[in-house]
Amino acid sequence: MDPHYDGVIFKTHPAELYRRIQFAHPPFLVIDVRSAAERSKSRIEGSIALGASDLAEALPEGSTPGTEFVVVGVDQYDEEIRRAAQSLRALGALRVVELAGGMFEWQAERMPLEASADS
């Protein structure tokens, strides 16, 4: 991990996240902060459903402050994305990335989806 990037919230685009999913290094988690109704339609492969309120006391199970977290919401206006990103930073996460445009952009770019585990 590049120390110049520690402590900052970044943005990435669907194509870059898709590339990362194919070649997952360094370790990262995709956090889906959309509502249960939105998640029931589809999700990004391997994503886990958590909201900012779920991140109030601890980082997600199995992660460390060195894990990279990619936060996905409905679209670019989804305020839950920033709340979750700030919660992760407050819990000590060194690298937090927001998916620019959220699931709206992911689907517009025709990136792969999987049936939701919530459905």
Side-chain angles (χ1 to χ4, degrees):
M1 180 182 317
D2 186 335
H4 298 287
Y5 294 115
D6 292 353
V8 179
I9 297 171
F10 289 90
K11 291 194 180 282
T12 194
H13 298 278
E16 177 60 17
L17 177 54
Y18 180 68
R19 184 193 69 75
R20 290 289 313 281
I21 290 170
Q22 304 306 303
F23 306 100
H25 183 75
F28 72 99
L29 286 176
V30 178
I31 309 288
D32 189 336
V33 298
R34 296 176 301 148
S35 69
E38 286 289 330
R39 287 191 312 267
S40 71
K41 298 173 188 173
S42 60
R43 67 187 191 120
I44 295 174
E45 180 182 355
S47 63
I48 59 173
L50 292 173
S53 60
D54 299 319
L55 298 167
E57 296 183 18
L59 291 172
E61 187 175 323
S63 67
T64 69
T67 302
E68 183 172 338
F69 297 94
V70 180
V71 183
V72 178
V74 174
D75 58 27
Q76 67 185 13
Y77 305 108
D78 188 344
E79 295 176 2
E80 187 71 4
I81 296 170
R82 183 50 53 105
R83 279 194 289 273
Q86 289 174 332
S87 293
L88 287 163
R89 288 286 305 124
L91 291 168
L94 298 175
R95 181 141 167 112
V96 179
V97 181
E98 298 173 347
L99 180 63
M103 285 299 287
F104 177 81
E105 279 298 316
W106 184 266
Q107 291 170 320
E109 295 290 327
R110 300 185 188 274
M111 295 297 169
L113 297 167
E114 68 179 8
S116 178
D118 298 342
S119 53

